[in-house]
Every structure is written in C-alpha cells, then in structure tokens.
Amino acid sequence: MRTKSTRQMYLNITPPSSSVSKVVREYWRKYARINDVLLANPELLDFAHLDFATYLSSSPGGRESTYTSDEILRTLVVFFVEGDAYRDLVVRIENSEFLRGFVGLGFLKPMMDFSFVAKAFAALSEATWQKMNTVLARYATAEGIITAERLRLDTTAYEANIHYPTDASLLWDSFRVLTRVLRRLQQEQPRLGLAHRFHDKKVKKLAFYIARNAKSTSKRTQRRVKDAYRTLIERVRWIAGVSREIRGKLVLAFLEAPELEQYEPIVERIVDQAERRVFGGETVPAQEKVLSLFEDHTELLIRGKAGKPVEFGHKVLVAQTGEKFISHYRVFPQREEDNTMLTESLDAHRALFGENPSVLAADKGFYKSVEQLKTLEEEIETVSICKKGRRTAAETARETSEEFQDGQRFRAGVEGSISVLKRGFKLGRCLFKGYKHFASSVGAAVLCHNLVLLAQE
C-alpha cells in the first residue's frame, strides 16, 4: 500500500539569510515558492499518486511503502529542475539539508536509490503529465498570473539518443545485439543444448569496411562494398534465424525471451530496407525507415536548419502566453506540418481562458493559405504570421505595420524559451528509453519549467 503524503515541518538548521550569499537566498526562495505552488495544487499529487500506487511495486502483505507519493513527486521535480542524472540527483539531495526538507525526508530518512527514482519516473504516464500541466495552467489563470492577451507558437525537434543511422551500422547493431542475447541464453540454459559460434569479429569487419568505403568514387571499391553488404545481410539473416529457432526451443521449455521477441521484427525491417536501398536502388520513404534498433519509434525530421539539416527524434509543439508560461504542448508520434497545429492550439487557449488571444504570433511555417489568415483575422485582432511566396501591396503593408512587427518581436521570444527547455530541463536529447518515456519527459520538463516560472512571481 502506497501512502500519498505525510507532510510535516522539519527543524530548519540553515543559517540566517543575512549570513549567506544572494545566490543561495534566491535558490532557497525558488524552492520555497515551488513548495507553495505544490501545496496550493493538491490535484498534482492526486494524479501522480494514482500512477505510483498502480505501477510502483508494493508489499503483497500490505506493508506501507517506504516513500510517500509526495516525496517521490518532489524528487522528480528536483530531478528536472536541476537537470541532473539519476545518480547525481541522489547525491545532491542526500548531501543537502535544504533539499531533504523540500522533498520531505527530514534528517533521518535515507534518500531513495537512483534505480527507484528511475522506476518512479517510468510509472508516470504521458496523460498524467498532461493532466498535471492543465491543473497548473488553471491555477495560474485563476491567480491572474497569466492572461489570454497574447499567444505565440513554435515547434522544435526533441532528439532521440541514437547514433547516425546507416544501413551498415543498423545491420551491425542487429547482429551484435542478437548475438549478445543468444550468448547469455546459452550460458543461462545449458540444458537446452544451445551451441553456436557467431564469428562476430568477422561481421564487425564487414560493417567497418562498408563505413570506411561507402563514399568511394572507385567503381571497383563500390563493387566490393556491395559484396560486403551482401555478406553482411546474409549473416544478419542467419542470426535472426538462429534467434527464432532458439526462441522456439524456449517456448517448448516454458521459458520466455522478451528481448528476442522485441528485436526480431525490427531486425527484419532493417534487413528489408537495406536490401531495397542497396540492391533495389529504391529510395525508402522516411515514414517506413527504421532509424534505430533500440529506439524504433524515432522519426527523421528534415528541418532545413544550417549545420543541422536532418534531426532524429520527434516534433514538439510549444504554445506560450505573454508571461512565458507554456499553456499548451504536444508531442507528435508522427510528423505533422506546422500549419495543421493552429486550430488545436487556439482550441486549447479558448478552453483555458474562455476567449481568443488578441495577438497570435508564429513563424511562416504555420502559414497555410490566404483564406486561413482571413478567417483568423475575423476572430483575432493581430495575426502575426508571415505569408509564404509573393505578396500584394496590401499584404506587404500588413506585414510592415507596427502591430505585425511587434507580434514578430514577441514571437522571437519563444526561441529563447525552447533553448531554456533544452539546456535546463533535459529536452536537448532524450536519454529515456521508449516513446512512452520520451513523451513523458516532455510533460515533466514543461511542468517544471512552469513551476520555476511561477516561483519567480
């Protein structure tokens, strides 16, 4: 049974504020204000507690859990506010009397293990973070901290933690991972008589030869590269066949091999796309490509940015009010064009405030048509979205007006907020595994960003 909360006041042994530096006092004030916001919104804990009580391990005998849901949620808040790794987070809280008080551990209760923190984060679903962000947005609206007057939108690419995908590297990943799992099974289940020699060093040489010579302009070298590809694909097909054979033996012995079940279909897709591209001369569509054996949900995003034309991850929409509060966000499992996102963003704004913004600002990626702009201008006073292509005299006058230019200056501020999310709240590169945790980390980052913003009020 998991306890929701046992909040109590702890003796404060920190020195008087006059004897500490200004930076430390600001740090204390930030967490004190975050504490006030959390206490003012008990629904945040209610939503988190439901997931913790459902998905975190509990004693079959009904023994109370060591850590309450409140302590776990506050630990996760520190996790994202500080931007630490799991191990660094545990050390930071354990060695800080102030943070131990914020989390609710007091002086005697030991800090939870980093592996438990990882399980706790995994227990919170994307939908739960969405609900918690909605609660916080309603609180900020009711308190008059944020207003409906201005809304700005932008999208960004949240990168998955994968290496640059090439056919050779994906085929080598497939072979070495299946080999690793099968070797372990041979050691753990000797009674099944599993005996295979994998020759993975030879396969590794093939993959490295392709990587070194793939861009060669020599026809002779290219023929050798193609031969290496043929051999590499044959070896990956062989290891996939061995995997299926061994999994069949495990089923007969009433044993499971979840890793083999997970990787086998992905390996088949990797082999298929390599054959289509290398031997069929086919350009595989981006939506059909497998970009990682481990993060197969990853998408290829062509953003057209200087120095980084291609990114691997998922697109994230961010909608901000004039006070820099992120009032709406969304993670897209499959890429969508920016110009399809205006309607849902305005619907979310109206649901929160009950009215349209006076100023709507976005970059030209959100432009769809002249009719779209006319429809928006019937409901919104200033629509600061640049038109694509040629402009008439009236359209030029619109985009050079003071109201439009002021809206574009306001729009530029969302770039800074996205930078803060990436540098300060773990949205630079996703180190969490699987799409579920990928999407959850966006919700956690947005919630903690908004908590820090409210702490500055």
Side-chain angles (χ1 to χ4, degrees):
M1 183 176 67
R2 186 157 299 280
T3 307
K4 183 188 292 187
S5 176
T6 56
R7 291 300 296 175
Q8 54 183 301
M9 297 301 294
Y10 294 100
L11 178 64
N12 185 3
I13 63 170
T14 54
S17 59
S18 59
S19 64
V20 297
S21 67
K22 179 182 177 181
V23 173
V24 176
R25 290 200 301 272
E26 289 176 351
Y27 184 81
W28 288 350
R29 276 198 295 269
K30 177 177 72 173
Y31 275 103
R33 178 59 180 145
I34 290 175
N35 177 67
D36 293 341
V37 174
L38 292 175
L39 292 177
N41 293 276
E43 294 153 292
L44 296 176
L45 179 57
D46 292 341
F47 287 129
H49 177 67
L50 287 174
D51 280 359
F52 291 148
T54 303
Y55 299 111
L56 281 184
S57 59
S58 58
S59 169
R63 178 177 57 83
E64 288 191 359
S65 54
T66 305
Y67 299 100
T68 67
S69 295
D70 185 43
E71 292 164 355
I72 299 170
L73 177 60
R74 286 167 177 265
T75 298
L76 293 176
V77 168
V78 178
F79 180 43
F80 275 86
V81 169
E82 299 296 337
D84 286 331
Y86 284 118
R87 289 172 173 82
D88 296 336
L89 169 74
V90 171
V91 173
R92 181 188 293 272
I93 295 177
E94 183 65 50
N95 291 327
S96 170
E97 299 288 353
F98 175 77
L99 288 178
R100 288 178 64 84
F102 171 79
V103 171
L105 299 177
F107 304 115
L108 300 177
K109 199 170 187 178
M111 176 57 190
M112 58 194 77
D113 187 71
F114 75 90
S115 59
F116 179 80
V117 180
K119 291 176 184 176
F121 173 73
L124 292 179
S125 67
E126 177 190 6
T128 298
W129 288 111
Q130 283 275 12
K131 292 174 185 175
M132 293 165 69
N133 275 292
T134 301
V135 167
L136 199 61
R138 289 174 180 166
Y139 164 78
T141 304
E143 294 293 313
I145 300 172
I146 60 174
T147 60
E149 184 180 353
R150 298 195 291 177
L151 178 68
R152 60 190 181 194
L153 311 172
D154 202 4
T155 58
T156 186
Y158 182 24
E159 291 189 277
N161 188 32
I162 67 172
H163 62 72
Y164 193 91
T166 63
D167 289 317
S169 65
L170 291 174
L171 289 167
W172 167 235
D173 283 346
S174 301
F175 189 91
R176 68 180 178 83
V177 170
L178 288 179
T179 299
R180 182 183 67 206
V181 177
L182 294 174
R183 274 204 180 104
R184 189 174 69 241
L185 287 172
Q186 286 184 171
Q187 293 173 355
E188 292 175 353
Q189 304 296 335
R191 62 191 178 87
L192 295 179
L194 308 176
H196 289 279
R197 295 182 63 190
F198 300 106
H199 304 288
D200 40 327
K201 289 185 179 179
K202 292 181 180 180
V203 178
K204 184 177 181 180
K205 285 181 180 179
L206 287 171
F208 278 38
Y209 177 82
I210 294 170
R212 287 193 301 268
N213 297 282
K215 293 185 178 180
S216 172
T217 56
S218 167
K219 290 184 179 179
R220 182 182 179 186
T221 303
Q222 284 302 314
R223 283 195 297 271
R224 289 180 174 176
V225 166
K226 220 163 191 176
D227 289 340
Y229 260 121
R230 189 173 286 106
T231 307
L232 181 57
I233 288 174
E234 287 174 0
R235 297 305 296 171
V236 174
R237 273 217 177 95
W238 174 80
I239 197 70
V242 171
S243 174
R244 287 190 293 271
E245 175 192 339
I246 290 180
R247 191 156 57 85
K249 291 183 178 180
L250 291 171
V251 170
L252 293 175
F254 301 101
L255 299 172
E256 294 183 351
E259 286 183 288
L260 296 182
E261 291 181 22
Q262 174 191 349
Y263 290 130
E264 281 175 13
I266 305 173
V267 169
E268 288 177 9
R269 292 176 60 195
I270 288 172
V271 170
D272 176 66
Q273 72 184 22
E275 280 196 318
R276 289 166 63 187
R277 191 192 70 80
V278 178
F279 301 113
E282 183 181 343
T283 300
V284 182
Q287 62 270 20
E288 296 180 20
K289 286 183 178 178
V290 178
L291 301 171
S292 172
L293 178 66
F294 313 101
E295 303 292 335
D296 58 306
H297 60 85
T298 305
E299 283 194 302
L300 185 150
L301 302 173
I302 302 175
R303 306 277 290 172
K305 294 189 175 182
K308 209 171 190 180
V310 176
E311 295 175 88
F312 304 101
H314 292 283
K315 185 180 281 191
V316 177
L317 168 68
V318 174
Q320 267 192 324
T321 66
E323 297 80 16
K324 300 183 181 179
F325 188 95
I326 300 175
S327 57
H328 174 66
Y329 74 95
R330 187 179 166 198
V331 187
F332 294 90
Q334 293 186 334
R335 186 177 183 275
E336 294 184 22
E337 295 300 324
D338 290 1
N339 57 27
T340 64
M341 303 175 191
L342 275 175
T343 301
E344 73 165 83
S345 300
L346 288 172
D347 288 345
H349 191 85
R350 283 190 289 266
L352 180 60
F353 295 103
E355 59 180 298
N356 281 318
S358 300
V359 178
L360 173 63
D363 60 31
K364 64 173 62 177
F366 287 83
Y367 171 81
K368 189 174 186 179
S369 64
V370 175
E371 291 73 21
Q372 174 207 45
L373 290 180
K374 288 181 179 178
T375 302
L376 290 172
E377 287 175 341
E378 290 174 1
E379 302 176 350
I380 299 171
E381 185 178 332
T382 302
V383 180
S384 186
I385 301 176
C386 293
K387 180 189 174 184
K388 290 182 179 179
R390 294 183 178 180
R391 295 162 178 77
T392 64
E395 289 166 345
T396 301
R398 166 183 168 270
E399 292 186 13
T400 54
S401 67
E402 183 58 34
E403 295 81 6
F404 187 94
Q405 293 293 325
D406 183 62
Q408 283 299 296
R409 285 190 288 270
F410 166 62
R411 183 212 68 79
V414 74
E415 303 283 0
S417 295
I418 288 174
S419 178
V420 169
L421 286 172
K422 288 179 177 291
R423 291 181 294 107
F425 294 93
K426 294 179 173 289
L427 287 197
R429 190 178 182 91
C430 182
L431 301 180
F432 305 100
K433 292 186 177 182
Y435 179 77
K436 172 183 178 289
H437 303 145
F438 185 101
S440 293
S441 65
V442 177
V446 169
L447 181 77
C448 292
H449 170 278
N450 288 338
L451 283 173
V452 171
L453 185 73
L454 295 178
Q456 296 171 355
E457 296 297 325

